[in-house]
Amino acid sequence: MKVLMIHPDKCTGCRNCELACSVFHEGEFRPRVSRVHAYSWEKEGISVPMMCQQCDNAPCVSVCPSGAMSQIQATGLVSWNSKLCIRCRMCTIACPFGNAVYDFGQQKYTKV
């Protein structure tokens, strides 16, 4: 299994990780469809990169009415099946971290 390690203490808020991720996964420079997002608090002078937390008992999985969102018990990986998805976007509302994004242009869900 591959794991992406992020180090919030090293984040400068440059958002280059978002660009690199969107190019790798989508073939275009569109940070909105990146699987990682850097949230910045300018007043405090900090930035934190965030991505899907692969929650135990993931809320996005439990609210999905079509079963498009599922969690592999052995690994805990939360996945999305585009063929089962009815595009209700309940998963985006349920994510407590705001890491579920729906891309209206390509009509698909992205776990950030």
Side-chain angles (χ1 to χ4, degrees):
M1 176 181 4
K2 293 183 180 181
V3 176
L4 177 63
M5 296 296 294
I6 57 173
H7 299 278
D9 56 321
K10 296 180 181 179
C11 182
T12 64
C14 70
R15 301 180 66 190
N16 282 334
C17 57
E18 295 177 9
L19 292 174
C21 182
S22 68
V23 167
F24 180 82
H25 289 284
E26 304 299 327
E28 58 184 328
F29 289 105
R30 268 193 346 151
R32 178 77 178 136
V33 296
S34 174
R35 273 93 170 144
V36 60
H37 289 284
Y39 296 96
S40 297
W41 290 268
E42 283 92 26
K43 185 177 179 181
E44 292 81 4
I46 59 170
S47 296
V48 178
M50 290 287 293
M51 51 196 311
C52 181
Q53 301 296 302
Q54 308 296 336
C55 304
D56 293 334
N57 302 315
C60 60
V61 173
S62 63
V63 300
C64 184
S66 66
M69 297 296 298
S70 61
Q71 190 164 28
I72 300 168
Q73 295 302 320
T75 62
L77 178 68
V78 175
S79 62
W80 174 69
N81 183 328
S82 64
K83 293 177 182 169
L84 295 176
C85 184
I86 61 172
R87 280 39 177 195
C88 68
R89 297 181 295 282
M90 290 298 293
C91 54
T92 62
I93 296 167
C95 180
F97 299 101
N99 293 335
V101 176
Y102 186 78
D103 180 9
F104 286 95
Q106 295 184 4
Q107 294 188 353
K108 70 178 193 176
Y109 164 80
T110 304
K111 284 188 324 162
V112 176

